[in-house]
Amino acid sequence: EDKVVQSPLSLVVHEGDTVTLNCSYEVTNFRSLLWYKQEKKAPTFLFMLTSSGIEKKSGRLSSILDKKELFSILNITATQTGDSAVYLCAPGGDNNDMRFGAGTRLTVKP
Amino acid sequence: KAGVTQTPRYLIKTRGQQVTLSCSPISGHRSVSWYQQTPGQGLQFLFEYFSETQRNKGNFPGRFSGRQFSNSRSEMNVSTLELGDSALYLCASSLGTSGGGYTQYFGPGTRLTVL
């Protein structure tokens, strides 16, 4: 059965801290893994990862995939209060759907 | 380019009623997926449509159904509503089927409350 586990489930940090969010997965015929940020409503897309070891960066956010060990991490450096959100990872396989993890709720305090 | 739109944004129904939610994908996108999000269960996949065909279905009862039209717009129907159906229903569109590595873009969601 496909499985997605995100850790930690909840994280509270102060502005300026660096955080690392984890996503481990077991997905049949894995094709790609997506990271999303969800604040109040719908998730917004962050990264799509398909190849191992290639870091994707966008400003203070970066992410990398390890297809051998079946996990991905999302790093946020110099966190700001606006980074407070639930971060979701979603690996997808050949069965045409995305499996979402429970998410990591990040709270950044001023 | 306009994003994914969903209507209505908010809906209040009573148990036993049925409801139809609508999703218009990004122009050019042929795949539409539906998700249910609740505080207890998180984000759960309902079904995906591609070129008017249901490609895959999540683990939901038959009360949940959907369809896609030739212009890629999709509707989701829930019959005989139950209290537990109260949730945020999200629609996501992508160029191709989600398992093929295409990025999904989400709409704002429809908040359904069942009383």
Side-chain angles (χ1 to χ4, degrees), chain A residues 43-77:
Chain A
T44 53
F45 169 76
L46 293 175
F47 298 109
M48 181 172 79
L49 305 163
T50 55
S51 302
S52 263
I54 299 175
E55 186 182 49
K56 295 241 177 152
K57 291 195 74 167
S58 176
R60 296 175 294 101
L61 277 67
S62 64
S63 185
I64 198 162
L65 176 69
D66 186 327
K67 289 165 77 172
K68 184 180 175 187
E69 300 297 331
L70 306 182
F71 78 89
S72 175
I73 60 172
L74 175 68
N75 279 318
I76 309 176
T77 59

Side-chain angles (χ1 to χ4, degrees), chain B residues 61-83:
Chain B
R63 301 185 296 107
F64 291 81
S65 63
R67 58 178 177 167
Q68 187 179 33
F69 302 96
S70 58
N71 61 358
S72 294
R73 190 177 70 83
S74 177
E75 286 183 347
M76 190 193 97
N77 186 276
V78 188
S79 62
T80 320
L81 284 166
E82 299 176 0
L83 294 178

Side-chain angles (χ1 to χ4, degrees), chain A residues 31-32 34 36 38 40-43 45 48 50 88 92-101, chain B residues 9-10 35 37 43 45 48 55-56 88 90 97-108:
Chain A
R31 298 288 293 272
S32 64
L34 277 63
Y36 290 90
Q38 186 172 25
K40 289 180 182 174
K41 288 283 174 68
F45 169 76
M48 181 172 79
T50 55
L88 299 163
D94 274 349
N95 58 351
N96 295 333
D97 66 21
M98 308 299 289
R99 302 284 184 207
F100 285 85
Chain B
R9 295 292 307 279
Y10 301 92
Y35 297 86
Q37 186 172 39
L43 200 59
F45 171 75
E48 178 181 21
R55 297 301 297 269
N56 202 23
L88 179 68
L90 293 165
T97 55
S98 56
Y102 292 95
T103 302
Q104 291 186 317
Y105 295 87
F106 283 83

